[in-house]
Amino acid sequence: APLFERVLALRPEEPQSRRDLALTCADLKQYQRAVDLLWEIVSRPWDARFPAVELIALSELNAIAATCGQPVNLSQVDPRLRKNLPVGLRAVLTWDADNCDIDLWVVDPNGETAKYDHPLTYQGGRMSKDFTAGYGPEEFLLRAPKAGSYQVKINYYGDRRQTAIGPVTVQVRLITDFGLPSQKEQRITVRLVDRKQTLDIGSIEIGSRK
């Protein structure tokens, strides 16, 4: 948390500085601080290179408030936006370098791939806006996933950095029952070196729901 507080002080113009700190605070059970930081993302305007980041922050804010098990003050949040929208499957991609275009792909049991140029799937999956500059997050949501295996991939599409900076580190969070008390999460971190590289990150098995 102190490290991310320092990052926020250094880079307040980037919403990811607040989001990283907010999610860390939630992990530390500092739920009020987490909600307040996420609301700052929702309520402020951001540069166009961070498309729809406020929608992702809003869903995380409502999920934390609904599942933390203790009261949090939401008086600053517009009442029209106070609604938890749980989903059966969520995948979130972030990375640590600006001026990189890295894409999240999710292949469902039907063989259909959700990605930046095919954001909506037959089953009801939705991929968020494409981040073509820096950091993400890119998010895949599916409210009621059918049983089967969901393959998660990342595509290192492009890079406008000076190559001397070094490889890019990416993290994928794979979450089932997001926004519910039964939520479970797996985090996967990898380093990318070669542009145009596509990696199979992992998979989630969804069982039959009765």
Side-chain angles (χ1 to χ4, degrees), residues 80-171:
R80 296 169 296 178
L81 302 179
R82 298 181 204 166
K83 185 172 178 61
N84 186 35
L85 299 173
V87 297
L89 177 60
R90 181 178 189 242
V92 185
L93 167 69
T94 56
W95 56 97
D96 68 348
D98 201 359
N99 294 316
C100 291
D101 185 357
I102 301 174
D103 296 319
L104 175 66
W105 297 357
V106 178
V107 185
D108 68 20
N110 296 329
E112 188 174 10
T113 302
K115 55 181 180 173
Y116 71 95
D117 58 353
H118 184 70
L120 302 176
T121 67
Y122 176 81
Q123 195 186 162
R126 182 183 69 82
M127 187 68 69
S128 64
K129 295 286 187 179
D130 184 22
F131 272 69
T132 60
Y135 313 122
E138 292 193 6
E139 174 191 61
F140 173 79
L141 297 173
L142 181 55
R143 186 179 67 83
K146 68 182 289 187
S149 178
Y150 292 79
Q151 306 296 320
V152 180
K153 302 182 180 185
I154 53 175
N155 177 249
Y156 193 171
Y157 186 81
D159 189 336
R160 299 184 298 278
R161 304 174 303 147
Q162 296 179 1
T163 55
I165 294 176
V168 182
T169 301
V170 304
Q171 183 181 82

Side-chain angles (χ1 to χ4, degrees), residues 180-191:
L180 296 172
S182 55
Q183 174 177 311
K184 295 181 180 179
E185 178 175 331
Q186 176 186 5
R187 302 184 191 186
I188 302 170
T189 302
V190 297
R191 302 193 77 186

Side-chain angles (χ1 to χ4, degrees), residues 3 5 17 19 22 34 40 52 54 56 62 70 92 94 96 102 111 114 124 147 149 164 171 201 209:
L3 176 61
E5 292 279 10
S17 300
R19 181 175 177 269
E40 289 183 23
E54 65 276 9
I56 295 174
N62 281 306
Q70 58 185 255
V92 185
T94 56
D96 68 348
I102 301 174
S149 178
Q171 183 181 82
I201 290 297
R209 295 174 180 260

Side-chain angles (χ1 to χ4, degrees), residues 58 85 140 177 208:
L58 180 61
L85 299 173
F140 173 79
D177 290 346
S208 298

